């Protein structure tokens, strides 16, 4: 591995013009493809095959076919001024005019007013109309939306307060933008402080931007064909930017170190890619495995997010191994500090802070270890109260019309009105289909927690009935989840009595089923991820206990980050500081996605830091001194990499998309815990207590595991030695240190 990467780095350095040209061609070609590709559509209706709500939804589509089954909708809510009623002549006339004109608008399939559908609150203070379109929300033009907005403004001029919910006018979050800009700006400051050189700070930023550009252009070019969404692209850009900067940072840092050891630029670039590049490959591989492994969960959207993000990470690895040494070849001395350039690139130093900290931990390993475990354990406690769901309009800012429409409907019609349950009854096996459907509807209506049930509506064949049940509690409330289960528990008795069966769906039931399925999948996925980490790290470090230590540290950091997410987004602690309008259940996809990403990033820092300790140990240093050596060479780089990742992820906390905000916060605190508590304190404390046993591996297992030479021992006897003899190293300096 190290020898192959050494040759790759030297080749990229030597043929730097060709390498840069190839990356430019790839970027331009993908950019052109992205510009010509049609816009990506929606994720599709089959969110999570296999759950009851999805099967019921599919059954409705099969038995109740219609052109507007997946069309956009707008729920227009009318609120009368205080002390007045929407049934007053002037208000009623304005509402009916809006409904009539909306029905005549292009692409509108139907418009139903409140006085036709009985959609007026008991005190007549609130009413709503429903407008359904023939096309999906993403296919509505600005003219279509503008026509509806003009009608809403006219009704508002009549004295009514008018808000619009539904999908038609919902504001879609932009992909990327401010998050990346903030992250890049903060990363630039960190890199400048770390390296003390504008070129050294700028090179990782430049290469990371190129990598993200390639990844995002590829996603946009394939978006329509593969059904990739804006959220998918945002997460890929988030991770691609973060790991792209980190991987380039590691290679540039090692290049500067090898130059300080006296190696000429071409040889130093080869050594940097051969040693640090090996860590980059395995760090990237762990992230890719964790992200690609999300496909086993069974959620198409999660699979797409994971695979796209994994692709972005792979691009980041390739950029670090090829484009970074090529750019180093163009400006071999520019990335060095001023002092190093003045003294012939031989200035050493730095790492004193890491050395002092390592020695501090080595003197007090038990106290440091207990402090880490206790501190993260306390932070992890809220994770035991984790509740997952899919927050809707109630999680949007109060400045949005969707949120105001949601609140108005809850005030006028009850909290459960925003999340009705849709019941589809299959009455093909019933002797009397009409009576069977009526019996099912009556039994559900009599269930505690159900406010009302609509009359059953039959399809054209008369073998399927559809009706809705309005709960007394909100869509995200725990009693609503219990109500869905209670209704489903009544199914066997009703099936025996009527010969018909039914299933519960709708957005509320769908969210409940998805949350439960993902919660059930979280622990098995966590087990798979931990086992993968153990196997991969055994190959990398030739050790049994180091991987076990890494897996335990990962569990601590991920549980602590989940605890922080629950405390902020579910309990509401400090939520207003992050712009969280409504505390509630955690997005269903978020915990399992967080586990995958944090696993990858945790293994990143594990490989970055411990690989250097392993390298020192293999070259003859005692265990304690190897820990100090690893910190002297890697602590500053790992710290800078962690701060950069925290900066990048924190930039996404300002996103208007609830899931992106939550993931951005979760990843930022996870990196904080993992890099500064686990890797900087927990790891050296455990290694200090283990001593030589940390690097123990049974002989039979040593023979069975493949050898990958992450520490670069092959460079001491391979082509690097010959290159050094041919002038790769200055005469005054040893070939390897």
């Amino acid at each position: 591995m190290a020898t192959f990467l050494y040759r790759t780095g030297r080749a990229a350095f030597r043929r730097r013009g060709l390498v840069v040209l190839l990356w430019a061609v790839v970027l331009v070609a993908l950019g052109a493809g992205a510009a010509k590709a049609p816009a990506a559509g929606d994720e599709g209706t089959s969110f999570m095959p296999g759950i009851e709500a999805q099967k019921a939804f599919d059954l409705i589509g099969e038995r109740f076919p219609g052109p507007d089954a997946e069309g956009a909708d707008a729920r227009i809510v009318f609120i009368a001024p205080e002390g007045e009623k929407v049934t007053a002549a002037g208000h009623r006339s304005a509402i009916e005019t809006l409904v009539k004109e909306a029905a005549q608008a292009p692409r509108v399939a139907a418009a139903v007013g409140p006085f036709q559908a009985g959609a007026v609150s008991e005190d007549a203070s609130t009413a709503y109309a429903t407008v359904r379109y023939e096309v999906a929300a993403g296919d509505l033009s600005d003219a279509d939306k503008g026509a509806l907005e003009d009608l809403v403004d006219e009704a508002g001029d009549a004295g009514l307060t008018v808000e619009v919910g539904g999908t038609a006018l919902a504001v879609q979050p932009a992909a990327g933008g401010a998050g990346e800009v903030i992250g890049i700006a903060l990363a630039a400051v960190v890199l400048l402080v770390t390296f003390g050189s504008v070129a050294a700070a700028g090179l990782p930023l430049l290469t990371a931007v190129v990598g993200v550009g390639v990844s995002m252009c590829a996603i946009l070019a394939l978006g329509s064909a593969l059904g990739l969404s804006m959220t998918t692209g945002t997460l890929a850009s988030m991770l691609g930017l973060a790991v792209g900067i980190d991987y380039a940072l590691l290679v540039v840092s090692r290049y500067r170190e090898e130059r300080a050891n006296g190696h000429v630029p071409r040889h130093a670039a080869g050594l940097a890619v051969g040693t640090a590049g090996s860590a980059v490959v395995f760090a990237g591989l762990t992230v890719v495995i964790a992200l690609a492994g999300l496909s086993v969960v069974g959620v198409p959207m999660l699979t797409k997010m994971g695979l796209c993000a994994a692709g972005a990470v792979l691009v980041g690895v390739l950029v670090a191994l090829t484009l970074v040494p090529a750019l180093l070849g163009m400006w071999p001395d520019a990335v060095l500090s001023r002092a190093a350039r003045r003294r012939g690139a031989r200035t050493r130093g730095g790492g004193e802070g890491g050395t002092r900290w390592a020695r501090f931990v080595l003197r007090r390993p038990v106290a440091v270890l207990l402090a880490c475990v206790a501190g993260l354990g306390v932070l992890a406690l809220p994770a035991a109260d984790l509740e997952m769901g899919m927050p809707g309009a109630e999680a949007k800012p109060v400045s949005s019309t969707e949120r105001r429409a949601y609140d108005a409907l809850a005030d006028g019609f009850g909290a459960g009105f925003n999340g009705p349950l849709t019941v589809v009854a299959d009455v093909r096996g019933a002797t009397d289909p009409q009576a069977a459907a009526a019996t099912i509807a009556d039994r559900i209506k009599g269930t505690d927690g159900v406010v009302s049930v609509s009359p059953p509506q039959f399809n054209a064949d008369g073998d399927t009935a559809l009706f809705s049940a309005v709960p007394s509690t909100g869509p995200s409330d725990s009693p609503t989840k219990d109500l869905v289960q209670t209704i489903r528990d009544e199914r066997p008795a009703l099936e025996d009595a009527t010969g018909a069966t039914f299933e519960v769906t709708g957005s509320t039931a769908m969210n409940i089923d998805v949350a439960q399925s993902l919660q059930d999948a979280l622990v098995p996925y966590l087990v798979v991820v931990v086992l993968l980490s153990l196997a991969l790290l055994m190959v990398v470090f030739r050790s049994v206990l180091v991987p076990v230590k890494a897996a335990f540290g990962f569990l601590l950091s991920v549980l602590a980050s989940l605890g922080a997410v629950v405390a902020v987004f579910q309990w509401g602690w400090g939520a207003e500081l992050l712009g969280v309008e409504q505390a509630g259940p955690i997005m269903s996809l978020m915990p399992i996605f967080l586990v995958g990403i944090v696993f990858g990033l945790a293994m990143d820092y594990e490989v970055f830091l411990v690989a250097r300790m392993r390298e020192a140990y293999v070259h003859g240093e005692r265990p304690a001194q190897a820990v100090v050596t690893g910190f002297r060479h890697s602590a500053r780089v790992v710290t800078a990499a962690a701060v950069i990742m925290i900066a990048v992820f924190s930039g996404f906390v300002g996103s208007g998309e609830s899931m992106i905000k939550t993931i951005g916060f979760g990843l930022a605190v996870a990196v904080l815990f993992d890099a500064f508590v686990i890797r900087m304190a927990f790891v050296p404390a455990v290694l200090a207590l283990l001593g030589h046993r940390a690097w123990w591996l049974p002989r039979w297992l040593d023979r069975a595991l493949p050898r990958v030479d992450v520490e670069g021992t092959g460079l001491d006897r391979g082509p690097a030695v010959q290159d050094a003899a041919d002038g790769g190293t200055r005469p005054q300096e040893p070939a390897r240190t």
Side-chain angles (χ1 to χ4, degrees):
M1 170 69 77
T3 301
F4 170 76
L5 292 177
Y6 170 82
R7 289 170 173 163
T8 300
R10 279 181 60 90
F13 187 97
R14 186 173 61 254
R15 302 185 180 275
R16 45 193 174 270
L18 177 61
V19 172
V20 172
L21 178 61
L22 287 175
W23 276 107
V25 169
V26 169
L27 181 59
V28 171
L30 288 174
K36 294 180 179 180
D42 295 334
E43 288 288 344
T45 58
S46 185
F47 180 80
M48 194 172 191
I51 60 176
E52 177 176 326
Q54 184 65 58
K55 290 188 290 185
F57 188 83
D58 294 340
L59 180 64
I60 293 172
E62 175 188 340
R63 304 284 180 86
F64 293 85
D68 62 333
E70 299 179 15
D73 69 285
R75 180 176 282 182
I76 306 172
V77 184
F78 307 95
I79 306 103
E82 188 174 356
E84 299 182 22
K85 298 182 178 182
V86 293
T87 53
H91 297 326
R92 184 181 185 118
S93 176
I95 293 172
E96 290 177 339
T97 298
L98 182 149
V99 174
K100 180 180 178 180
E101 294 183 2
Q104 298 172 351
R107 300 197 184 190
V108 171
V112 181
F115 308 112
Q116 298 170 264
V120 180
S121 65
E122 188 174 345
D123 62 0
S125 65
T126 309
Y128 69 90
T130 302
V131 178
R132 297 191 180 279
Y133 288 84
E134 298 172 347
V135 297
D139 296 327
L140 290 176
S141 66
D142 291 339
D144 297 328
K145 298 178 181 180
L148 182 59
E149 290 170 345
D150 291 341
L151 293 176
V152 168
D153 291 340
E154 290 176 10
D157 293 339
L160 292 166
T161 298
V162 187
E163 305 294 350
V164 184
T167 60
L169 298 184
V171 177
Q172 299 298 324
E180 287 92 334
V181 172
I182 294 172
I184 290 174
L186 293 175
V189 174
V190 174
L191 288 168
L192 191 58
V193 172
T194 302
F195 284 136
S197 164
V198 173
L203 192 147
L205 291 175
L206 174 62
T207 56
V209 169
V210 170
V212 170
V214 169
S215 302
M216 293 304 298
C217 287
I219 290 172
L220 292 174
L222 299 173
S224 179
L226 301 181
L228 307 179
S229 68
M230 290 295 187
T231 299
T232 301
T234 302
L235 294 172
S237 68
M238 179 195 300
L239 286 176
L241 182 63
V243 302
I245 294 174
D246 279 5
Y247 295 165
L249 168 65
L250 195 65
V251 173
V252 172
S253 178
R254 189 59 183 255
Y255 172 81
R256 283 163 53 108
E257 183 182 329
E258 297 298 346
R259 290 294 305 277
N261 288 338
H263 299 300
V264 296
R266 183 177 62 183
H267 188 51
L271 291 174
V273 176
T275 52
S278 298
V280 166
V281 168
F282 280 94
L285 184 59
T286 58
V287 182
V288 169
I289 289 174
L291 293 171
L294 292 170
S295 59
V296 304
V297 177
V299 182
M301 176 184 173
L302 196 60
T303 298
K304 294 173 186 177
M305 293 163 65
L307 292 178
C308 286
V313 172
L314 279 177
V315 171
V317 171
L318 292 175
V319 166
L321 299 180
T322 58
L323 184 58
V324 169
L327 293 178
L328 288 174
M330 290 185 168
W331 299 283
D333 294 333
V335 297
L336 305 179
S337 65
R338 291 182 179 178
R341 290 196 296 269
R342 285 196 304 268
R343 301 175 188 176
R346 294 213 220 154
T347 297
R348 299 178 187 245
E352 292 82 3
T355 300
R356 287 195 297 269
W357 172 252
R359 288 173 177 164
F360 170 82
V361 175
L362 291 175
R363 289 194 299 269
R364 305 169 180 82
V366 175
V368 171
L369 182 61
L370 291 177
C372 293
V373 174
L376 293 180
V378 170
L379 290 171
L381 290 177
D385 191 40
L386 174 66
E387 293 181 10
M388 298 200 295
M390 296 290 283
E394 76 277 9
K396 291 183 177 291
V398 292
S399 58
S400 68
T401 187
E402 300 102 303
R403 171 63 185 277
R404 294 195 297 269
Y406 179 96
D407 292 341
L409 289 172
D411 292 340
F413 296 90
F417 187 81
N418 283 297
L421 306 176
T422 300
V423 181
V424 54
D426 188 343
V427 295
R428 288 180 299 182
T431 304
D432 186 345
Q434 297 278 347
T439 299
I440 293 173
D442 289 342
R443 178 68 65 87
I444 292 176
K445 185 176 182 179
T447 305
D448 290 340
V450 175
V451 174
S452 63
V453 173
S454 66
Q457 301 292 321
F458 282 82
N459 64 343
D461 295 335
D463 61 2
T464 310
L466 193 65
F467 58 91
S468 62
V470 178
S472 59
T473 51
S476 300
D477 295 338
S478 295
T480 305
K481 178 180 178 180
D482 298 335
L483 174 63
V484 171
Q485 188 58 49
T486 299
I487 292 175
R488 288 171 174 170
D489 289 343
E490 295 175 350
R491 181 163 43 212
L494 283 170
E495 187 173 0
D496 291 341
T498 64
T501 188
F502 68 89
E503 293 176 324
V504 183
T505 186
S507 60
T508 299
M510 184 74 76
N511 293 341
I512 291 171
D513 288 356
V514 169
Q516 187 60 52
S517 296
L518 290 175
Q519 194 159 352
D520 293 341
L522 184 59
V523 172
Y525 176 69
L526 192 59
V527 171
V528 170
V529 162
V530 170
L531 290 178
L532 283 173
S533 72
L534 290 174
L536 187 62
L537 293 180
M538 279 185 189
V539 173
V540 174
F541 295 126
R542 321 296 299 178
S543 166
V544 172
L545 296 179
V546 167
V548 171
K549 174 265 305 171
F552 184 71
F554 156 69
L555 288 174
L556 278 176
S557 60
V558 77
L559 290 175
S561 62
L562 276 176
V565 168
V566 169
V568 174
F569 291 89
Q570 184 177 312
W571 292 357
W573 292 3
E576 64 281 355
L577 299 177
L578 300 179
V580 179
E581 299 283 349
Q582 180 80 29
I586 305 303
M587 292 287 289
S588 299
L589 294 173
M590 189 270 170
I592 200 164
F593 197 72
L594 179 68
V595 167
I597 298 175
V598 172
F599 163 74
L601 299 182
M603 296 306 104
D604 264 8
Y605 296 123
E606 179 74 10
V607 173
F608 288 176
L609 186 63
V610 181
R612 201 59 191 266
M613 298 177 187
R614 168 76 179 171
E615 182 179 340
Y617 182 78
V618 168
H619 283 83
E621 294 188 7
R622 296 185 59 79
Q625 184 55 41
V627 171
V628 174
T629 300
F631 266 80
R632 181 171 67 250
H633 290 294
S634 303
R636 187 170 66 165
V637 175
V638 170
T639 300
V643 172
I644 288 169
M645 278 207 177
I646 292 171
V648 171
F649 294 145
S650 297
F652 289 86
V653 175
S655 170
E657 175 65 26
S658 177
M659 183 173 182
I660 299 300
K661 181 189 292 287
T662 309
I663 289 180
F665 173 82
L667 291 177
V669 297
V671 171
L672 177 67
F673 297 152
D674 193 84
F676 294 105
V677 179
I678 296 299
R679 307 306 150 192
M680 292 294 172
F682 178 85
V683 167
V686 172
L687 292 179
L689 293 173
L690 291 177
H692 287 285
R693 290 168 295 181
W695 309 107
W696 170 77
L697 186 70
R699 291 184 179 179
W700 65 269
L701 187 57
D702 185 46
R703 291 192 297 269
L705 292 176
R707 294 188 176 274
V708 294
D709 189 21
V710 175
E711 58 273 2
T713 54
L715 297 179
D716 292 332
R717 56 184 182 275
V721 174
Q722 183 62 44
D723 291 337
D726 293 340
T729 308
R730 298 180 189 277
Q732 300 93 327
E733 297 291 334
R736 296 282 293 147
T737 58

